[in-house]
Amino acid sequence: MAVAVDIRKAVEDAAAHLYVWALKDIPQDLRDAISEARGRETSVPGRRVLDTIVKNVEIADGNGNLVCQDTGIAVYYCRVGEGFPLHPARIYEALRAGTERATVEHPLRSNTVHTLTRENTGQNVGYRVPIVHWEFVPDWDGLDVKCVPKGSGSENMSFLKMCVPADGVKGIKRFVLDSIVGAGGKPCPPGIVGVGIGGSADYAMHLAKEAIARPVGTRNEDPLVAQLEDELLELLNETGIGPMGLGGDVTALAVHVEHADTHMTLNPVAVNYQCWAARRATAHMSADGTTDFDREA
Ligand code: SF4
């Protein structure tokens, strides 16, 4: 029993650390992608924006401060081994408590409100917030928790279309392109365009969200899907939207596509944008509560 209590505390501590850490210290792959974008951007306003982003990150590093004022909505991805000694119901409680603690202790801006009354519901927690996605892993006794605080500017630029099968891959490309052109500078580009295809309506959006949580520029294992990622990235960077929508060569740092098989008469496509401040941080926990923090996962 005592061990279970310690594990719950370890998960809470990990969540409290991850939420703040993700907001302050963006991963190296993202830093590299921003710097590479700065190197190839040719438009004057685009270069200015990227210079400002680089300086913003340097100042955040120097002052130990957040890279953006929007602390986002707390989103966690959990991979739970079947042998991990804490039930997911208790893991959820611990993630919620950790989110709350981080918000109070740092302190962080609290963004969560009741969706109808718009009253603030507390310390970045509320009914069904934080949002937790689950994956259960057989023959393993560990826990991976990835924290992805999601800013509203980019989350507001989420789109779903139930294409018909006859629309094919061209229909998928057209919808992604239309979505990003319509979004313009609103989601703080250049960021990661997450695309979910297949499954059902809700699952396609889940996949798009999962796609933005991958390390920047990683490619889908399926060569066909990876090819679609390359083609979409090229198309999006030809739109000329550029950094912050002020015009330029770099509209997206990466396009990540996740897919699922689907019904023969379905062709769902979801787009979830992640801004340049693509924050994420991960904890790997053993069954005894030992935790390794990982900025690159
Ligand atoms: S969209 Fe991203 S960069 Fe823009 S304000 Fe929100 S968190 Fe910050």
Side-chain angles (χ1 to χ4, degrees), residues 10 158 173:
S158 304
K173 286 185 183 170

Side-chain angles (χ1 to χ4, degrees), residues 68-70 151-154 186-188 244 274-277 279:
C68 181
Q69 42 72 38
D70 184 357
S152 61
S154 60
K186 288 186 206 141
C188 298
M244 292 295 163
Q274 176 62 302
C275 56
W276 73 262
R279 301 159 295 186

Side-chain angles (χ1 to χ4, degrees), residues 6 19-20 36 52 62 83 86 88 119 124 138 144 164 201 209 219 259:
D6 288 343
Y19 191 22
V20 174
E36 192 267 337
T52 306
L86 191 66
E119 274 178 31
N124 280 317
D144 290 339
V164 296
K209 197 68 172 283
R219 304 184 77 226
H259 69 114

Side-chain angles (χ1 to χ4, degrees), residues 6-24 66 71 73-78 84 86 88 90-106 108 123-125 129-132 134 143-149 279-285 289-294:
D6 288 343
I7 290 285
R8 190 204 170 284
K9 178 75 167 49
V11 176
E12 180 185 323
D13 289 349
H17 178 69
L18 286 175
Y19 191 22
V20 174
W21 189 35
L23 292 169
K24 287 183 170 180
L66 313 185
T71 52
I73 189 160
V75 179
Y76 296 93
Y77 292 83
C78 283
F84 189 72
L86 191 66
R90 300 292 173 207
I91 295 175
Y92 186 84
E93 281 179 0
L95 296 178
R96 187 183 162 95
T99 306
E100 203 163 7
R101 230 178 72 199
T103 304
V104 173
E105 286 173 3
H106 188 274
L108 301 171
Q123 312 298 345
N124 280 317
V125 295
V129 177
I131 294 162
V132 182
W134 301 97
L143 169 72
D144 290 339
V145 180
K146 182 185 283 193
C147 178
V148 183
R279 301 159 295 186
R280 62 173 212 278
T282 299
H284 306 290
M285 194 173 291
T290 310
T291 308
D292 289 324
F293 290 101
D294 181 351

